[in-house]
Amino acid sequence: MQKNILIIGACGQIGTELTFTLRAKYGNEIVIASDIREGNEALMDSGPFELLDATDYDALEEIVAYWEIDEVYLMAAMLSATAEKFPMRAWNLNMNSLFNVLNLAKEKKISKIFWPSSIAVFGPNTPQENTPQNTIMEPSTVYGISKQSGERWCEYYHNKYGVDVRSIRYPGLISWKTMPGGGTTDYAVEIYHKAISDEAYTCFLNANTSLPMMFMDDAIRATLELMQNDSEKIKVRSSYNLAAMSFTPEEIAKSIKEHIPKFVISYEPDFRQAIADSWPNSINDSSAQKDWNWKAEFNLESTTQEMLKNLK
Ligand code: SER
């Protein structure tokens, strides 16, 4: 039997690049992209696409049956800043989409799931430096609460029903192909777009707010490496800490100024400052290193080079 892959939320920041990468690897027709709305032209032209509301179990089940889907990447979610504005909508989307996919696997209609978690699972009482895999969490945002609950359910479905679900706590993700939307770490993408169009950037976080970040190529590679590994190697069935770099708005501005000396940044922190303050400054990802040999490649300097080169 042919094993097809479904990507839910394929038009988002991560979904777009995941779709391209999986299609390049397995073939365009094997990878079915889906989202609640259509994506950019390049994505829509690259292979099969289905309109799908991830909270609609019947619609999802129908697509899985029709395309003979075996593996699902559930990338649809409402991110941290937007979720603070629409708490119930965020909870509904983030949790019900996950239950739908977990239940498909429990019913043996699919055999493998990837579901992203986030550094947002941590909270103000978490040790902020080199945050361990297992520690105090107590997230204080709607998004973080949904991701932590999701992690608990993933582990539960794995232990109780043998569901092969795998997950990564992504740091803030920096990419040039598709804009992020509604996140607290989005500033680290917006800033490059402003810099490249010779505009000043007003940052919604303080100059010295340190957050864990990662270049998208590393995030996609990590996702594929996690999914390709033997099931026995995947010891953590809640979600893996993953790290690449940490920097502040001041530091990213400095790395941009090395290429664009006249670039100007100013700071006007808004409600997202409190969200950022509740998250770790840096992450310990030794479990991912040990279990599936994870190692990041991009640091701030190489990320800045890639961003400026590709946005030009
Ligand atoms: N990048 C996300 C956000 O800022 C965190 O997972 O909401």
Side-chain angles (χ1 to χ4, degrees), residues 79-81 117-120 143 170-173 182-186 279:
L79 295 191
S80 60
S117 186
S118 161
I119 53 165
Y143 175 70
Y170 289 129
L173 296 182
T184 301
T185 57
D186 296 9
W279 292 351

Side-chain angles (χ1 to χ4, degrees), residues 9 14 38 43-44 65 73 80 90 106 114 131 166 183 189-190 199 211 218 225 253 271 286 299 301-302 309:
I14 311 173
E38 293 193 352
L43 182 96
M44 298 305 292
Y73 291 73
S80 60
K106 182 187 166 194
F114 178 80
T131 302
R166 306 175 183 203
V189 178
E190 290 169 8
E199 286 178 60
L211 285 170
D218 270 340
E225 286 175 8
F271 74 100
S286 52
N299 59 18
E301 183 47 38
S302 48
K309 182 179 83 194

Side-chain angles (χ1 to χ4, degrees), residues 78-87 90 140-144 182 271 275:
M78 194 184 287
L79 295 191
S80 60
T82 311
E84 290 305 295
K85 296 180 183 158
F86 308 106
S140 57
T141 63
V142 173
Y143 175 70
F271 74 100
I275 300 177

Side-chain angles (χ1 to χ4, degrees), residues 9-148:
C11 301
Q13 188 199 12
I14 311 173
T16 303
E17 301 211 20
L18 194 57
T19 303
F20 288 138
T21 307
L22 288 172
R23 282 184 172 162
K25 190 173 165 61
Y26 297 113
N28 291 350
E29 304 306 313
I30 304 288
V31 180
I32 316 307
S34 74
D35 206 302
I36 196 147
R37 62 185 70 83
E38 293 193 352
N40 63 37
E41 218 180 300
L43 182 96
M44 298 305 292
D45 289 347
S46 69
F49 179 86
E50 291 275 4
L51 279 176
L52 172 66
D53 173 355
T55 64
D56 182 343
Y57 184 81
D58 294 339
L60 173 63
E61 194 183 26
E62 208 177 297
I63 286 173
V64 163
Y66 178 81
W67 290 99
E68 299 180 1
I69 299 295
D70 186 55
E71 203 169 303
V72 173
Y73 291 73
L74 171 55
M75 313 312 286
M78 194 184 287
L79 295 191
S80 60
T82 311
E84 290 305 295
K85 296 180 183 158
F86 308 106
M88 288 300 115
R89 268 168 59 188
W91 181 257
N92 177 40
L93 170 61
N94 295 1
M95 298 313 297
N96 289 336
S97 60
L98 176 59
F99 278 124
N100 287 346
V101 174
L102 288 173
N103 285 328
L104 278 177
K106 182 187 166 194
E107 304 295 330
K108 309 264 182 272
K109 291 176 174 154
I110 54 173
S111 67
K112 213 188 221 182
I113 300 169
F114 178 80
W115 173 78
S117 186
S118 161
I119 53 165
V121 294
F122 300 114
N125 296 321
T126 303
Q128 285 202 314
E129 298 299 339
N130 202 26
T131 302
Q133 175 70 39
N134 298 304
T135 185
I136 298 168
M137 299 175 88
E138 301 179 3
S140 57
T141 63
V142 173
Y143 175 70
I145 296 169
S146 76
K147 287 295 180 187
Q148 199 205 10

